[in-house]
Amino acid sequence: MRIQDHPILDFSKGRKVRFWFEDRELEGYEGEPIAAALHAAGVRVLSESPVRHRPRGFFCAIGNCSSCLMTVDGRPNVRVCVEALHEGMRVQKQRGGRGDLA
Amino acid sequence: MSGGPKKYDAIVVGAGPAGLSAAAELGRAGARTLVLDRDTRPGGQLVKQTHKFFGSEKQRAGTRGVEIARLLREEVAALPAVEMWLNSTVLGFYSDRVITVERVKDAPGEERREWLEKVTAPVFVLATGAAERFLPFPNNDLPGIYGAGAAQTLMNVHGVRPGRRVVMVGAGNIGLIVSYQLLQAGVEVAAIVEAAPVIGGYLVHAAKVRRAGVPILTSHTVKEAHGREALEGVTVWRLDEKWQPVPGTEKYIAADVLCLATGLSPLAELLFQAGCQMAYVPELGGHVPVHGEDLETSVPGVFVAGDVSGVEEASAAMVEGHLAGLGAAARLGLVRDLAAVAAGWRAELASLRAGPSGEKIRRGLAKLAGQTAGMAASSPAGSPVSPASAPAASAPAAPPPATSAPKPGKPGRTLSPQLTSTGEPAASELESSLPPADRRRQGPYAVIECFQEIPCDPCHKACRTGAIGPFPDINLTPAYEAAHCNGCALCVAQCPGLACFVVDENYSPSEALLKLPYEFLPLPAAGHTVDLLDRTGALVGSGRVVRVVRSRSKLATPVVWVTVPSEKVGTVRNIRVPATKGGAAE
């Protein structure tokens, strides 16, 4: 899903890093949003809705809408569309609502 | 956090086109200015705009949004009075005019840090922008259903394709532009679906996607989305004259992405918190602050600029940023004669809004002006310019002789229903874009397929032979006089709408030469055989590439010279490079 060659743009990327999504080891670029790395790896379902457990992806990609909240390194409610990816991060789908805000 | 707030002369919230323009004015005036943005890079949504901007030179027309973002960033960075905090989200605007900011430091190899700061200033420019709207339909929560701007961020900022096959909802400028950019990123666009009976965005943007083969389904909307874990397809159906769906007209379109370009709503939370008087004006996108021409809200010292003050084009946002910045600086006593300094910017803003495309904004501002009556503001309420008051075009009664100066288009031109509902010009419109038959046989000439009055003038700026005359009003269509044209194609490379072409009917006994703009990969090379496409993207023949004129910068539009069978020169408006030549865009 990565664009290798673009007619107008050149993409400058950080170094390649490895991270974990659930129990899968994936690759992304340091500093890009976690959601971009997941999307590039074909992962579009980021969480599930609290009551009816429907799949959730991102929507706004600018940290506005809260559709992409995930648990990152144990930290819940992380907006992965704007959170930078780092080496070794553990990214998990958030299940069972957002009650752990405290 | 303890202690009092940090004090500045001015605080600008939002580092998009409006905020950066305001910061530039404040910084130049010598105000100690703090700019806050929640993103990690300044520029707002300009950072993903790969298209060339409309408007006039002062709003950097003809320059791509990404480049404008860079220029604005550099302009502000060069001002020592301006300090910028990125990754800094404003959380609240309190009654003592203190704002709280959540700051994050998240550098590789360092421990992540989050902390709160309090800041205050006598004047504020709130330029928080707008957010994309949602649309109700069954299964609209499936992953793969994204804001059009989100898909644009993913592909143009992060270099990741949002999917393989997209259905776009909304044929306003965002829907049309993002569709084109999806094609440039190598993503298929199955259709653009628009509930209104007419295309809302600029018709030159519509023409670009039409000649790439993307259908625009006006009077259509989404019935439902399908998919289990993520989007797999979309059912659309037709709407009647009363905007009611017509059963039996359902069409299923396979797609893994559905983009919503159904409008923007101002991000007005801080304005409510600041106690600004608000008004609900649908034409301006929803809840907007009541403000006058000086962009000051009902709370003295709190100025607004850009989409948060009323959703509009980014060129208008930049001008508003300058005006708000100047107003705020004047409030600090740093600008002496505000009226004189602001006059130029005000005139520009009025001219950007003066044409038919500014009609909705004018209506919204007029409604808002009604609200300012109750405001203690010293300035007169915004008085939008009506198209009738725009400078009149010189309109000689008889058709001018071939050697006369270019004649500007007449204002108030009516467009064919075919053009406004499909993006394809009618035969009469195409005929009007051609020089007289005897001139056509004399040598190369430009064909400017720009029929709609939109605020834009780079074609005139590009033209070195005087064939494209000056715009007495930026909203008029181009004034072209073929007698002065040598077919150089500078307008082809410069037109932000990619609506200029050059035709040489004398190239060979059986072939014409067509010079067209081409912003896709792979670029063909001289000698390649390419498919010739018409204005709907249908294959109509094959041609030979004679030359590709390109600049060293990828930001310039390449111009491809291709041979076309003589009888098809009025039909061909696009090319396709067969997959075997030069490799795919992957």
Side-chain angles (χ1 to χ4, degrees), chain B residues 330-354:
Chain B
R331 187 50 68 95
L332 294 168
L334 298 169
V335 172
R336 280 222 191 88
D337 190 358
L338 177 65
V341 185
W345 292 113
R346 285 194 187 184
E348 255 186 77
L349 199 52
S351 118
L352 280 175
R353 293 167 175 163

Side-chain angles (χ1 to χ4, degrees), chain A residues 4-18:
Chain A
Q4 301 304 333
D5 215 358
H6 192 279
I8 313 288
L9 299 166
D10 291 307
F11 300 102
S12 58
K13 288 280 170 197
R15 66 181 179 116
K16 258 191 187 158
V17 292
R18 305 195 70 82

Side-chain angles (χ1 to χ4, degrees), chain A residues 1-3 6-11 13 30 33 39 44-45 54-60 64 75 83-84 86, chain B residues 38 50 106 108 112 131 134 139 141 143-144 146-147 150 155-156 158-159 161-163 184 229 256 519 521 554:
Chain A
M1 298 297 266
R2 299 247 181 216
I3 301 169
H6 192 279
I8 313 288
L9 299 166
D10 291 307
F11 300 102
K13 288 280 170 197
E30 186 168 66
H39 213 283
R44 299 207 286 167
V45 182
R54 288 176 62 87
R56 284 282 178 269
F58 72 87
F59 177 73
C60 79
N64 207 52
R75 204 154 43 96
E83 187 79 11
H86 297 302
Chain B
R38 65 181 176 186
T50 53
D106 183 27
R112 183 193 162 85
F134 210 50
N139 295 325
D141 60 343
Y146 305 142
M155 66 179 170
N156 290 350
H158 307 302
R161 289 190 187 87
Q184 288 181 303
E229 278 292 284
D256 59 352
E519 296 185 329
L521 290 180
K554 285 174 90 174

Side-chain angles (χ1 to χ4, degrees), chain B residues 487-542:
Chain B
C488 69
L490 287 175
C491 56
V492 178
Q494 193 59 32
C495 171
L498 307 189
C500 296
F501 304 84
V502 163
V503 169
D504 182 358
E505 296 185 9
N506 299 330
Y507 183 71
S508 83
S510 63
E511 295 165 314
L513 185 71
L514 179 67
K515 301 179 185 177
L516 51 78
Y518 191 71
E519 296 185 329
F520 292 90
L521 290 180
L523 264 182
H528 283 178
T529 300
V530 293
D531 293 337
L532 302 176
L533 311 179
D534 70 8
R535 290 182 184 82
T536 68
L539 180 67
V540 291
S542 71

Side-chain angles (χ1 to χ4, degrees), chain B residues 267-476:
Chain B
L267 284 168
E269 293 88 344
L270 282 182
L271 296 164
F272 279 107
Q273 290 182 19
C276 300
Q277 187 191 338
M278 303 294 286
Y280 185 78
V281 184
E283 290 89 345
L284 300 178
H287 290 285
V288 289
V290 174
H291 63 276
E293 267 188 334
D294 55 1
L295 293 153
E296 190 168 17
T297 65
S298 63
V299 178
V302 175
F303 293 77
V304 285
D307 277 353
V308 77
S309 70
V311 173
E312 228 176 321
E313 294 296 319
S315 9
M318 285 186 270
V319 180
E320 285 185 337
H322 285 284
L323 282 167
L326 284 168
R331 187 50 68 95
L332 294 168
L334 298 169
V335 172
R336 280 222 191 88
D337 190 358
L338 177 65
V341 185
W345 292 113
R346 285 194 187 184
E348 255 186 77
L349 199 52
S351 118
L352 280 175
R353 293 167 175 163
S357 60
E359 200 271 329
K360 197 166 124 187
I361 296 295
R362 293 198 303 271
R363 213 166 353 113
L365 289 173
K367 277 193 189 174
L368 206 56
Q371 306 269 341
T372 49
M375 237 172 84
S378 52
S379 71
S383 46
V385 173
S386 77
S389 71
S394 60
T403 51
S404 76
K407 191 184 68 152
K410 287 194 191 75
R413 181 170 181 163
T414 17
L415 302 168
S416 72
Q418 176 180 313
L419 178 58
T420 56
S421 66
T422 67
E424 301 150 33
S428 60
E429 282 157 332
L430 291 176
E431 184 62 34
S432 74
S433 65
L434 292 175
D438 55 341
R439 168 62 185 84
R440 286 182 234 167
R441 287 187 294 271
Q442 281 165 16
Y445 56 87
V447 181
I448 306 178
E449 301 193 351
C450 177
F451 307 106
Q452 185 182 30
E453 290 168 22
I454 53 176
C456 188
D457 70 2
C459 58
H460 162 63
K461 299 272 161 45
C463 184
R464 293 188 189 159
T465 62
I468 304 174
F471 285 73
D473 169 357
I474 195 174
N475 292 285
L476 294 173

Side-chain angles (χ1 to χ4, degrees), chain A:
Chain A
M1 298 297 266
R2 299 247 181 216
I3 301 169
Q4 301 304 333
D5 215 358
H6 192 279
I8 313 288
L9 299 166
D10 291 307
F11 300 102
S12 58
K13 288 280 170 197
R15 66 181 179 116
K16 258 191 187 158
V17 292
R18 305 195 70 82
F19 69 103
W20 290 87
F21 166 65
E22 305 277 280
D23 53 1
R24 287 166 65 191
E25 198 181 356
L26 299 176
E27 226 176 43
Y29 291 98
E30 186 168 66
E32 71 179 350
I34 296 167
L38 288 172
H39 213 283
V43 177
R44 299 207 286 167
V45 182
L46 306 178
S47 67
E48 59 182 49
S49 66
V51 179
R52 297 182 57 202
H53 306 288
R54 288 176 62 87
R56 284 282 178 269
F58 72 87
F59 177 73
C60 79
I62 53 170
N64 207 52
C65 75
S66 300
S67 179
C68 68
L69 301 185
M70 296 182 83
T71 301
V72 176
D73 291 337
R75 204 154 43 96
N77 305 313
V78 173
R79 299 169 303 168
V80 295
C81 73
V82 291
E83 187 79 11
L85 181 71
H86 297 302
E87 175 83 55
M89 260 183 171
R90 297 202 165 257
V91 181
Q92 289 165 296
K93 281 188 190 174
Q94 199 157 301
R95 296 186 178 83
R98 294 161 187 175
D100 42 5
L101 271 167

